């Protein structure tokens, strides 16, 4: 049996830094889509709470921390990032492993809202997009999930196949913002 | 132009995809003329129209947007599933 080496979506592309802002790749062990069945939202939320200690997020929200996070991912869908999804979720929700399907990067530092302003139509200033808020939106024509994970930190996700484009566009915007000083 | 998605809130038009006129769907057993009208014939009025938009870059929801094509004013946005334009549920067969 050949020894296969797993490559992360942004292998060889990151980290990148402008001095004031940093872009790094996050490579979660597990990413699992949780889509509660019709009328089973409360049961799914209870199962998530007891199994992982996390609240099923409302639209545009997230909960948890870097170890275990759950973000609102689309209509009627949430994404559990970090731990392996507990089997107890399966009675109340459709549970789908998306671990290899998405690339996840973290943008930290100064001027990060200005960086995203160059790529997306949404307002990512801290006053408008507080910590914990999450949105599905457009990032340079890519369908993205963007979550504010801290005062000066965003988690940005796109489909894995678009990882190189994501890194290129973020780097370009970071360099342009840094050049303005 | 900005559309207020009932799920995501006010978003830029770039996040949405136009999906056609929001017309009530005829019954499946309707005759061919009715379906031809439904598929091809439009009043194309200048003014207030009901349109289907999908929040493709956001939550994915289909929306019925009431829009004034003269002023581009968005008058109303509701989830398509709540707008009563789907195929009428046929009577249960005995």
């Amino acid at each position: 049996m050949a020894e296969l080496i797993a490559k992360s979506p942004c292998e060889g592309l990151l980290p990148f830094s402008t001095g004031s802002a940093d872009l790094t790749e996050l490579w979660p062990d597990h990413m699992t889509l949780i889509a509660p069945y019709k009328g089973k939202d409360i049961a799914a939320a209870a199962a998530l709470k007891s199994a992982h200690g996390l609240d099923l997020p409302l639209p545009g929200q997230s909960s948890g921390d870097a170890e275990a996070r759950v973000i609102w991912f689309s209509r009627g869908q949430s994404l559990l990032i970090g731990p392996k999804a507990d089997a107890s979720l399966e009675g109340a929700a459709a549970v789908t492993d998306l671990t290899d399907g998405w690339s996840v990067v973290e943008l930290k530092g100064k001027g990060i809202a200005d960086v995203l302003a160059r790529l997306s139509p949404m307002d990512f200033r801290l006053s408008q997009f507080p910590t914990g808020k999450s949105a599905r939106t457009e990032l340079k024509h890519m369908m993205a999930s963007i979550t504010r994970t801290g005062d000066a930190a965003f988690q940005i996700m796109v489909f894995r196949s678009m990882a190189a484009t994501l890194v290129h566009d973020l780097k370009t915007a970071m360099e342009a913002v840094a050049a303005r000083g | 132009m900005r559309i207020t998605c009932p799920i995501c809130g006010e978003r830029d038009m770039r996040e949405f995809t136009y999906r056609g006129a929001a017309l009530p769907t005829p019954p499946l057993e309707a005759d061919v003329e009715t379906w031809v009208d439904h598929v091809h014939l439009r009043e194309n009025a200048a003014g207030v129209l009901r349109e289907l938009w999908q929040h493709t870059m956001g939550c994915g929801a289909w929306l019925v947007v009431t829009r004034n094509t003269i002023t581009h004013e968005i008058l109303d946005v509701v989830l398509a599933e709540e707008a009563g334009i789907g195929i009428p549920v046929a009577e249960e067969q005995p």
Side-chain angles (χ1 to χ4, degrees):
Chain A
M1 178 79 187
E3 283 286 310
L4 300 178
I5 301 165
K7 280 188 170 182
S8 72
C10 303
E11 187 87 31
L13 302 172
L14 293 176
F16 172 77
S17 177
T18 58
S20 55
D22 297 292
L23 186 64
T24 50
E25 177 170 28
L26 307 176
W27 198 16
D29 292 335
H30 299 279
M31 286 190 275
T32 310
L33 191 73
I34 300 167
Y37 295 124
K38 204 162 196 175
K40 293 278 187 79
D41 295 76
I42 293 169
L48 185 68
K49 187 76 176 172
S50 68
H52 297 287
L54 295 167
D55 293 312
L56 195 69
L58 294 168
Q61 300 297 324
S62 70
S63 64
D65 53 29
E67 294 296 310
R69 194 188 302 283
V70 60
I71 61 176
W72 179 83
F73 210 53
S74 189
R75 188 180 182 195
Q77 301 177 345
S78 296
L79 189 72
L80 177 65
I81 304 171
K84 187 170 170 58
D86 193 84
S88 64
L89 286 163
E90 285 170 21
V95 176
T96 312
D97 182 4
L98 296 183
T99 308
D100 293 325
W102 288 76
S103 50
V104 189
V105 300
E106 185 178 53
L107 179 63
K108 286 177 106 164
K110 284 185 182 166
I112 51 176
D114 296 336
V115 171
L116 291 179
R118 288 170 179 255
L119 303 172
S120 170
M122 279 203 73
D123 188 346
F124 288 105
R125 290 174 298 164
L126 189 59
S127 60
Q128 302 300 312
F129 205 89
T131 303
K133 194 169 162 70
S134 184
R136 291 296 302 263
T137 184
E138 181 202 332
L139 191 85
K140 206 74 186 271
H141 306 297
M142 291 179 284
M143 297 165 85
S145 160
I146 302 178
T147 307
R148 186 143 213 157
T149 51
D151 276 7
F154 285 104
Q155 173 191 277
I156 303 163
M157 301 176 63
V158 298
F159 292 134
R160 182 183 178 123
S161 60
M162 301 172 184
T165 308
L166 174 72
V167 170
H168 171 80
D169 288 337
L170 281 169
K171 272 185 178 177
T172 307
M174 287 168 73
E175 283 166 345
V177 169
R180 292 181 67 88
Chain B
M1 196 171 90
R2 292 172 77 79
I3 296 174
T4 302
C5 171
I7 294 170
C8 301
E10 189 183 325
R11 295 295 183 91
D12 190 273
M13 194 188 83
R14 277 173 280 175
E15 294 189 9
F16 297 86
T17 305
Y18 177 67
R19 296 294 193 192
L23 306 171
T25 312
L28 286 174
E29 60 274 17
D31 57 20
V32 170
E33 285 73 25
T34 307
W35 274 100
V36 167
D37 285 359
H38 177 72
V39 173
H40 298 292
L41 294 185
R42 296 290 179 271
E43 293 293 335
N44 200 23
V48 177
L49 289 184
R50 269 159 52 94
E51 301 172 329
L52 281 169
W53 288 76
Q54 191 186 9
H55 197 186
T56 40
M57 289 285 187
C59 61
W62 283 65
L63 310 172
V64 172
V65 176
T66 307
R67 189 172 74 92
N68 188 320
T69 55
I70 300 172
T71 63
H72 298 308
E73 189 181 4
I74 306 284
L75 301 164
D76 187 42
V77 185
V78 293
L79 291 174
E81 73 174 33
E82 294 168 2
I85 56 169
I87 293 174
V89 179
E91 301 246 336
E92 293 260 339
Q93 297 294 320

